[in-house]
Amino acid sequence: MNVTYDIIIVGAGIVGAACADELSRRGMAVAIVDREWIGGGATAAGMGHIVVMDDSEAQFALMRYSQQLWHKLRLELPDDVEYEQTGTIWVAADEEEMAEVRRKRNYYGQRGVPVEELDAQGLKHLEPHLRDALAGGLRVPDDAVLYPPCGARFLMERAQQSGAKLHLGRSVTQIGDGCVRLTDGLEMQAQYIVNAAGTSAGDLTSGLEIRKRKGHLVITDRYARFLRHQLLELGYLKSAHSVTTDSVAFNVQPRRTGQILIGSSRQYGAEHKEVDHEILARMLRRAEEYMPGLRAMSAIRCWTGFRAATRDKLPLIGPWPDDPSLWLATGHEGLGITASLGTARILADQITGAAPEIPIEPYLPSRMMLSQTLKEPANA
Amino acid sequence: MASSTPDGFDVLVVGAGPAGMAAAVRAAECGICVGIVDDNAAVGGQIWRKSAEEDVTEDAKSWADCLKARQVTVLGGMHVFDQPEPGILLAESSDNRSVLHYEKLVLATGARERFLPFPGWTLPNVIGAGGLQAMVKCRLPIRGKRVVVAGTGPLLLAVAAYLKAHGAEILKICEQASWLTLLRFATSLLTQPAKIWQGIQLSQQLGGIPFLTSSWVAAAHGDKMLEAVTITSGSETETIDCDYLACGFHLVPNIELPILLGCEISDGFVQVNDLQETNVSGVFCAGEPTGIGGVELALVEGQIAGLAAASRIAEARHLFGKREGFRRFARSLQRAFRLRPELRMLAGPETIVCRCEDVMYAQLCPYTSWRSAKLQTRCGMGPCQGRVCGAATEFLFNWSLDSARPPVFPARVESLVAVRDIKQQDPQKIS
Ligand SMILES: Cc1cc2nc3c(=O)[nH]c(=O)nc-3n(C[C@H](O)[C@H](O)[C@H](O)COP(=O)(O)OP(=O)(O)OC[C@H]3O[C@@H](n4cnc5c(N)ncnc54)[C@H](O)[C@@H]3O)c2cc1C
Ligand SMILES: Cc1cc2nc3c(=O)[nH]c(=O)nc-3n(C[C@H](O)[C@H](O)[C@H](O)COP(=O)(O)OP(=O)(O)OC[C@H]3O[C@@H](n4cnc5c(N)ncnc54)[C@H](O)[C@@H]3O)c2cc1C
């Protein structure tokens, strides 16, 4: 049996789901294939922080665009997506980090993102369980949190309502030249194929380099009103972005249930799903340093997940130069929950020839070909 | 306060029920350093749990005395929640955490009751059969209370007898298994005089109480609390006013820790060789996790595991024959109390299946696996981590559970951090 679609998306994570939704709403005949269930990959492991970041101008543009798309969508999101506009507070431990607060304040402010600088007292007032003697922080009220697996399911259901066909429990072995081959021998044909297979994207497209960056998370029992904002240390900027070493950072999120999600860690070269006790302990110790009250809380589960990382820390959204039928939507590292909506828009714009609302050049996969001879960038 | 000896334990036993106590005693007989850890303050496990006013049975007392005589280190009130690396377990009590080093390990983690959802099962005073017995042991007043005992398994009779002896009025015992399967089961016991004797004793104690077979609870009723239960045989139903419903559907083994340690599981039970050793070298398993078989089997398996862990192989072999007899009993137990398919139909669309996260039966129906249902509905994501609803959905939907992750029991954040100190410290208490 050969079935023909306009587009076949490989991967029903939040990125694949968002693309399916966007493309089918634009009238295309879309099929999605996943070897598991919707949102069972990195999407099930992620923290669900909808956050604007500013490592680079290009990253900022996609994140802000996406954050606003989530904001617009919020009224349509069903209850179980648990969208909550908690805002983010970037926590500064010392004067050096306060300088970063001010830089960030100016950067965000100049680009129209509402921000509020907090001094030590203001920080303590908003989050009384942070330890004493912190310098202050930066509050970004537009940021939010959500529950990613249900977010992905919601987007997929909308796609299906627009006619998209979902094939779950089917593993893809090969893609290219307008053809998707499944393990059971079935072939599906389409004009375009979108590789949204997350950390496995590189297995399906040769020459595509995706690295797995492992992360750990811990969830606690319910402690209502202990925490109100998603909190991140500004040391995060220093540690999380070192490409070579393992790092941990204070990163805590209030869930609607009253639970607290504690992150985060970043490791390269760790291929196993098992909890790495050493890094888990480092991560929790870091969290305890910032919020001593976490110490006595009951942790009910730990898990790990893998982020799909590219060399220049920007996602891959657009055509794959080697094969005119092949498109990529992956490589979002630790930001794919947020960036899923923006990614879907600019991918659909490119495919349908519409004018994108943000410049797309920084995300084009062709840059990887150009930079293949270049060395890995130094730590920014 | 608990701490391990500076060099750790030659043999460490997790679980101080009959299996664990027997293992610890046998291992300690040859003078090696043995420890036993249990999340209850006192040893004895489920069956020998000490009650407030009465003395424990002779068997229980003699094993407990042996533990003392052999100088086994008893670490009570501590649950083992993680193994950061082979040879090291982490345990936590209400005010302490311990790093336990071991050469050989015996897992004797026992079993818990299986609950199945039916309308009203979450009402106050609907309690597990073993659970109600445990509460009475902890002084819950039961005299004069009207109790319906329902579900399946030999535990129902033991509990009914116990409650009756403590003054409860047992209105009915409803066993879902059919009369015919029970008869076959009873016949299979003919080779086991001890079991028959126990049976006769039980039936004398239970004399006069209606014992219904092919009968189960269809619903529990009540406004804020249990007021009545409806029982059914499929064709006929009857509603009975009562104060308590003691309801359990046999036992589910506690295999989370064995799974975390990498032990091979088949058909829901830990796989062991003749010497009760698992596929993980140096890790033994005894009692209910290897197959639900009752206290006698637990005791023999425990002894074999303890002897084998202490390298007393010849002595362990002497017990193989005895064990085989009890294993036959365990197998017929498993057959006799198999759950009937009608029980899958009890839950209504709005019946809660996961109590931690308030997930209803209808919410679970669209899913094809435990993992997808869990991710989408939060079923099994609460503090009990699927210990209750996991066993129910396994039966209701044929889902197999996912892998075990640390902590196997909820643990304080600070206890998880203790892992970090292991490499820097002596294997002693970290505080
Ligand atoms: C610990 C951690 C914390 C994070 N926190 C955040 C956060 O706070 N905010 C944020 O925005 N992002 C966060 N992220 C990142 C985010 O989770 C990911 O970027 C995002 O989930 C990626 O979605 P995806 O759809 O690309 O990939 P996935 O969700 O991995 O989806 C890929 C899908 O492809 C399927 N697939 C792969 N290969 C095949 C094949 N051969 N055949 C069929 N199907 C296949 C998989 O089964 C999978 O379902 C975090 C990530 C981690 C690991
Ligand atoms: C609620 C209940 C009531 C029962 N009542 C009866 C009865 O009245 N009559 C009867 O004949 N049989 C009864 N049984 C069956 C009886 O328990 C078994 O036949 C027998 O006790 C099995 O012995 P065991 O050593 O394998 O397990 P158990 O007696 O269950 O002992 C296991 C012990 O290990 C502990 N443990 C488990 N995991 C950990 C961990 N990670 N860390 C620390 N400690 C841990 C448990 O708390 C428990 O104390 C009952 C079972 C249950 C579940």
Side-chain angles (χ1 to χ4, degrees), chain B residues 290-320:
Chain B
T290 66
I292 304 295
V295 59
E296 289 89 352
L297 180 59
L299 281 170
V300 200
E301 287 195 353
Q303 295 186 65
I304 293 174
L307 290 167
S311 304
R312 292 159 65 190
I313 309 299
E315 285 160 274
R317 282 188 201 287
H318 281 307
L319 294 167
F320 285 2

mmCIF file of all heavy atoms in Angstrom, chain B residues 290-320:
data_model
loop_
_atom_site.group_PDB
_atom_site.id
_atom_site.type_symbol
_atom_site.label_atom_id
_atom_site.label_comp_id
_atom_site.label_asym_id
_atom_site.label_seq_id
_atom_site.Cartn_x
_atom_site.Cartn_y
_atom_site.Cartn_z
ATOM 1 N N THR B 290 9.618 -13.386 44.931
ATOM 2 C CA THR B 290 9.918 -14.455 43.970
ATOM 3 C C THR B 290 8.668 -15.262 43.619
ATOM 4 O O THR B 290 8.713 -16.156 42.780
ATOM 5 C CB THR B 290 10.975 -15.429 44.526
ATOM 6 O OG1 THR B 290 10.412 -16.116 45.659
ATOM 7 C CG2 THR B 290 12.232 -14.706 44.976
ATOM 8 N N GLY B 291 7.559 -14.962 44.268
ATOM 9 C CA GLY B 291 6.311 -15.695 44.035
ATOM 10 C C GLY B 291 5.514 -15.664 45.329
ATOM 11 O O GLY B 291 6.068 -15.952 46.388
ATOM 12 N N ILE B 292 4.229 -15.321 45.241
ATOM 13 C CA ILE B 292 3.418 -15.214 46.457
ATOM 14 C C ILE B 292 3.189 -16.618 47.004
ATOM 15 O O ILE B 292 2.565 -17.449 46.351
ATOM 16 C CB ILE B 292 2.054 -14.553 46.149
ATOM 17 C CG1 ILE B 292 2.238 -13.183 45.483
ATOM 18 C CG2 ILE B 292 1.191 -14.453 47.411
ATOM 19 C CD1 ILE B 292 2.905 -12.138 46.329
ATOM 20 N N GLY B 293 3.712 -16.892 48.188
ATOM 21 C CA GLY B 293 3.643 -18.271 48.677
ATOM 22 C C GLY B 293 3.387 -18.400 50.163
ATOM 23 O O GLY B 293 3.341 -19.508 50.687
ATOM 24 N N GLY B 294 3.267 -17.283 50.859
ATOM 25 C CA GLY B 294 2.968 -17.385 52.274
ATOM 26 C C GLY B 294 4.201 -17.512 53.141
ATOM 27 O O GLY B 294 5.330 -17.599 52.654
ATOM 28 N N VAL B 295 3.932 -17.573 54.437
ATOM 29 C CA VAL B 295 5.009 -17.439 55.406
ATOM 30 C C VAL B 295 5.968 -18.635 55.402
ATOM 31 O O VAL B 295 7.173 -18.462 55.541
ATOM 32 C CB VAL B 295 4.421 -17.157 56.808
ATOM 33 C CG1 VAL B 295 3.480 -18.265 57.250
ATOM 34 C CG2 VAL B 295 5.498 -16.936 57.835
ATOM 35 N N GLU B 296 5.446 -19.866 55.206
ATOM 36 C CA GLU B 296 6.347 -21.033 55.249
ATOM 37 C C GLU B 296 7.374 -20.977 54.124
ATOM 38 O O GLU B 296 8.562 -21.210 54.343
ATOM 39 C CB GLU B 296 5.553 -22.348 55.143
ATOM 40 C CG GLU B 296 4.734 -22.688 56.366
ATOM 41 C CD GLU B 296 3.340 -22.090 56.315
ATOM 42 O OE1 GLU B 296 3.066 -21.285 55.392
ATOM 43 O OE2 GLU B 296 2.523 -22.411 57.194
ATOM 44 N N LEU B 297 6.894 -20.657 52.924
ATOM 45 C CA LEU B 297 7.815 -20.548 51.800
ATOM 46 C C LEU B 297 8.806 -19.416 52.040
ATOM 47 O O LEU B 297 10.006 -19.549 51.771
ATOM 48 C CB LEU B 297 7.038 -20.320 50.497
ATOM 49 C CG LEU B 297 7.886 -20.191 49.226
ATOM 50 C CD1 LEU B 297 8.725 -21.439 48.995
ATOM 51 C CD2 LEU B 297 7.015 -19.925 47.998
ATOM 52 N N ALA B 298 8.297 -18.306 52.573
ATOM 53 C CA ALA B 298 9.172 -17.166 52.846
ATOM 54 C C ALA B 298 10.295 -17.580 53.798
ATOM 55 O O ALA B 298 11.457 -17.220 53.599
ATOM 56 C CB ALA B 298 8.361 -16.007 53.426
ATOM 57 N N LEU B 299 9.941 -18.358 54.809
ATOM 58 C CA LEU B 299 10.949 -18.779 55.789
ATOM 59 C C LEU B 299 12.014 -19.692 55.170
ATOM 60 O O LEU B 299 13.200 -19.511 55.416
ATOM 61 C CB LEU B 299 10.268 -19.494 56.961
ATOM 62 C CG LEU B 299 9.599 -18.574 57.987
ATOM 63 C CD1 LEU B 299 8.754 -19.385 58.964
ATOM 64 C CD2 LEU B 299 10.635 -17.731 58.734
ATOM 65 N N VAL B 300 11.599 -20.644 54.356
ATOM 66 C CA VAL B 300 12.610 -21.536 53.750
ATOM 67 C C VAL B 300 13.472 -20.774 52.752
ATOM 68 O O VAL B 300 14.690 -20.929 52.740
ATOM 69 C CB VAL B 300 11.973 -22.709 52.960
ATOM 70 C CG1 VAL B 300 12.986 -23.816 52.789
ATOM 71 C CG2 VAL B 300 10.732 -23.203 53.606
ATOM 72 N N GLU B 301 12.809 -19.984 51.918
ATOM 73 C CA GLU B 301 13.584 -19.224 50.929
ATOM 74 C C GLU B 301 14.565 -18.292 51.623
ATOM 75 O O GLU B 301 15.705 -18.144 51.195
ATOM 76 C CB GLU B 301 12.652 -18.401 50.026
ATOM 77 C CG GLU B 301 11.889 -19.250 49.025
ATOM 78 C CD GLU B 301 11.255 -18.415 47.909
ATOM 79 O OE1 GLU B 301 11.287 -17.162 47.983
ATOM 80 O OE2 GLU B 301 10.740 -19.016 46.974
ATOM 81 N N GLY B 302 14.099 -17.677 52.693
ATOM 82 C CA GLY B 302 14.971 -16.780 53.449
ATOM 83 C C GLY B 302 16.181 -17.529 53.981
ATOM 84 O O GLY B 302 17.314 -17.057 53.876
ATOM 85 N N GLN B 303 15.936 -18.703 54.537
ATOM 86 C CA GLN B 303 17.053 -19.473 55.090
ATOM 87 C C GLN B 303 18.050 -19.866 54.002
ATOM 88 O O GLN B 303 19.262 -19.751 54.190
ATOM 89 C CB GLN B 303 16.530 -20.735 55.774
ATOM 90 C CG GLN B 303 15.680 -20.424 56.995
ATOM 91 C CD GLN B 303 15.305 -21.698 57.725
ATOM 92 O OE1 GLN B 303 16.167 -22.388 58.257
ATOM 93 N NE2 GLN B 303 14.036 -22.023 57.727
ATOM 94 N N ILE B 304 17.513 -20.302 52.878
ATOM 95 C CA ILE B 304 18.419 -20.691 51.782
ATOM 96 C C ILE B 304 19.234 -19.472 51.338
ATOM 97 O O ILE B 304 20.456 -19.549 51.179
ATOM 98 C CB ILE B 304 17.615 -21.280 50.598
ATOM 99 C CG1 ILE B 304 16.977 -22.605 51.025
ATOM 100 C CG2 ILE B 304 18.512 -21.474 49.376
ATOM 101 C CD1 ILE B 304 16.031 -23.211 49.997
ATOM 102 N N ALA B 305 18.555 -18.349 51.170
ATOM 103 C CA ALA B 305 19.263 -17.141 50.730
ATOM 104 C C ALA B 305 20.342 -16.748 51.728
ATOM 105 O O ALA B 305 21.469 -16.402 51.355
ATOM 106 C CB ALA B 305 18.270 -15.999 50.526
ATOM 107 N N GLY B 306 19.981 -16.806 53.020
ATOM 108 C CA GLY B 306 20.945 -16.420 54.057
ATOM 109 C C GLY B 306 22.152 -17.348 54.079
ATOM 110 O O GLY B 306 23.306 -16.899 54.156
ATOM 111 N N LEU B 307 21.882 -18.639 53.983
ATOM 112 C CA LEU B 307 22.979 -19.618 53.966
ATOM 113 C C LEU B 307 23.852 -19.428 52.729
ATOM 114 O O LEU B 307 25.082 -19.410 52.812
ATOM 115 C CB LEU B 307 22.406 -21.049 53.985
ATOM 116 C CG LEU B 307 21.739 -21.486 55.298
ATOM 117 C CD1 LEU B 307 20.936 -22.770 55.091
ATOM 118 C CD2 LEU B 307 22.793 -21.671 56.399
ATOM 119 N N ALA B 308 23.204 -19.264 51.594
ATOM 120 C CA ALA B 308 23.960 -19.105 50.343
ATOM 121 C C ALA B 308 24.790 -17.827 50.376
ATOM 122 O O ALA B 308 25.945 -17.814 49.943
ATOM 123 C CB ALA B 308 23.011 -19.102 49.149
ATOM 124 N N ALA B 309 24.206 -16.760 50.917
ATOM 125 C CA ALA B 309 24.945 -15.495 50.977
ATOM 126 C C ALA B 309 26.166 -15.634 51.877
ATOM 127 O O ALA B 309 27.177 -14.961 51.692
ATOM 128 C CB ALA B 309 24.038 -14.376 51.476
ATOM 129 N N ALA B 310 26.070 -16.530 52.866
ATOM 130 C CA ALA B 310 27.202 -16.768 53.750
ATOM 131 C C ALA B 310 28.065 -17.933 53.236
ATOM 132 O O ALA B 310 28.889 -18.470 53.977
ATOM 133 C CB ALA B 310 26.705 -17.070 55.162
ATOM 134 N N SER B 311 27.832 -18.317 51.992
ATOM 135 C CA SER B 311 28.595 -19.388 51.329
ATOM 136 C C SER B 311 28.459 -20.746 52.010
ATOM 137 O O SER B 311 29.371 -21.567 51.958
ATOM 138 C CB SER B 311 30.086 -19.027 51.228
ATOM 139 O OG SER B 311 30.227 -17.800 50.572
ATOM 140 N N ARG B 312 27.337 -20.992 52.687
ATOM 141 C CA ARG B 312 27.107 -22.314 53.282
ATOM 142 C C ARG B 312 26.202 -23.117 52.337
ATOM 143 O O ARG B 312 25.059 -23.447 52.648
ATOM 144 C CB ARG B 312 26.484 -22.147 54.658
ATOM 145 C CG ARG B 312 27.467 -21.514 55.656
ATOM 146 C CD ARG B 312 26.746 -20.892 56.817
ATOM 147 N NE ARG B 312 26.046 -21.891 57.632
ATOM 148 C CZ ARG B 312 25.193 -21.577 58.597
ATOM 149 N NH1 ARG B 312 24.923 -20.309 58.851
ATOM 150 N NH2 ARG B 312 24.600 -22.520 59.294
ATOM 151 N N ILE B 313 26.776 -23.417 51.195
ATOM 152 C CA ILE B 313 25.987 -23.977 50.105
ATOM 153 C C ILE B 313 25.395 -25.345 50.466
ATOM 154 O O ILE B 313 24.223 -25.617 50.186
ATOM 155 C CB ILE B 313 26.849 -24.107 48.823
ATOM 156 C CG1 ILE B 313 27.540 -22.772 48.525
ATOM 157 C CG2 ILE B 313 26.005 -24.557 47.641
ATOM 158 C CD1 ILE B 313 26.613 -21.614 48.279
ATOM 159 N N ALA B 314 26.212 -26.201 51.069
ATOM 160 C CA ALA B 314 25.738 -27.554 51.376
ATOM 161 C C ALA B 314 24.508 -27.502 52.276
ATOM 162 O O ALA B 314 23.524 -28.213 52.063
ATOM 163 C CB ALA B 314 26.850 -28.366 52.028
ATOM 164 N N GLU B 315 24.567 -26.653 53.277
ATOM 165 C CA GLU B 315 23.428 -26.541 54.193
ATOM 166 C C GLU B 315 22.198 -25.981 53.473
ATOM 167 O O GLU B 315 21.065 -26.392 53.740
ATOM 168 C CB GLU B 315 23.779 -25.621 55.365
ATOM 169 C CG GLU B 315 24.699 -26.281 56.364
ATOM 170 C CD GLU B 315 25.412 -25.252 57.219
ATOM 171 O OE1 GLU B 315 26.481 -24.755 56.787
ATOM 172 O OE2 GLU B 315 24.899 -24.924 58.305
ATOM 173 N N ALA B 316 22.458 -25.068 52.574
ATOM 174 C CA ALA B 316 21.347 -24.506 51.812
ATOM 175 C C ALA B 316 20.655 -25.608 51.017
ATOM 176 O O ALA B 316 19.426 -25.678 50.967
ATOM 177 C CB ALA B 316 21.850 -23.400 50.892
ATOM 178 N N ARG B 317 21.460 -26.489 50.429
ATOM 179 C CA ARG B 317 20.886 -27.560 49.599
ATOM 180 C C ARG B 317 19.924 -28.454 50.368
ATOM 181 O O ARG B 317 18.965 -28.962 49.811
ATOM 182 C CB ARG B 317 22.004 -28.428 49.009
ATOM 183 C CG ARG B 317 22.690 -27.780 47.837
ATOM 184 C CD ARG B 317 23.654 -28.742 47.163
ATOM 185 N NE ARG B 317 24.636 -27.986 46.383
ATOM 186 C CZ ARG B 317 24.354 -27.374 45.237
ATOM 187 N NH1 ARG B 317 23.148 -27.462 44.733
ATOM 188 N NH2 ARG B 317 25.274 -26.680 44.596
ATOM 189 N N HIS B 318 20.209 -28.634 51.667
ATOM 190 C CA HIS B 318 19.341 -29.480 52.483
ATOM 191 C C HIS B 318 17.896 -28.988 52.503
ATOM 192 O O HIS B 318 16.989 -29.754 52.797
ATOM 193 C CB HIS B 318 19.867 -29.531 53.928
ATOM 194 C CG HIS B 318 21.024 -30.462 54.086
ATOM 195 N ND1 HIS B 318 20.972 -31.770 53.681
ATOM 196 C CD2 HIS B 318 22.265 -30.265 54.584
ATOM 197 C CE1 HIS B 318 22.135 -32.343 53.917
ATOM 198 N NE2 HIS B 318 22.948 -31.446 54.464
ATOM 199 N N LEU B 319 17.711 -27.721 52.225
ATOM 200 C CA LEU B 319 16.359 -27.149 52.335
ATOM 201 C C LEU B 319 15.593 -27.141 51.009
ATOM 202 O O LEU B 319 14.429 -26.749 50.958
ATOM 203 C CB LEU B 319 16.455 -25.725 52.888
ATOM 204 C CG LEU B 319 16.975 -25.621 54.330
ATOM 205 C CD1 LEU B 319 17.325 -24.182 54.676
ATOM 206 C CD2 LEU B 319 15.944 -26.178 55.301
ATOM 207 N N PHE B 320 16.275 -27.569 49.939
ATOM 208 C CA PHE B 320 15.632 -27.500 48.614
ATOM 209 C C PHE B 320 14.330 -28.293 48.563
ATOM 210 O O PHE B 320 13.335 -27.839 48.006
ATOM 211 C CB PHE B 320 16.570 -28.017 47.514
ATOM 212 C CG PHE B 320 17.680 -27.063 47.153
ATOM 213 C CD1 PHE B 320 17.820 -25.848 47.814
ATOM 214 C CD2 PHE B 320 18.584 -27.394 46.154
ATOM 215 C CE1 PHE B 320 18.848 -24.965 47.484
ATOM 216 C CE2 PHE B 320 19.619 -26.512 45.809
ATOM 217 C CZ PHE B 320 19.748 -25.309 46.477
#
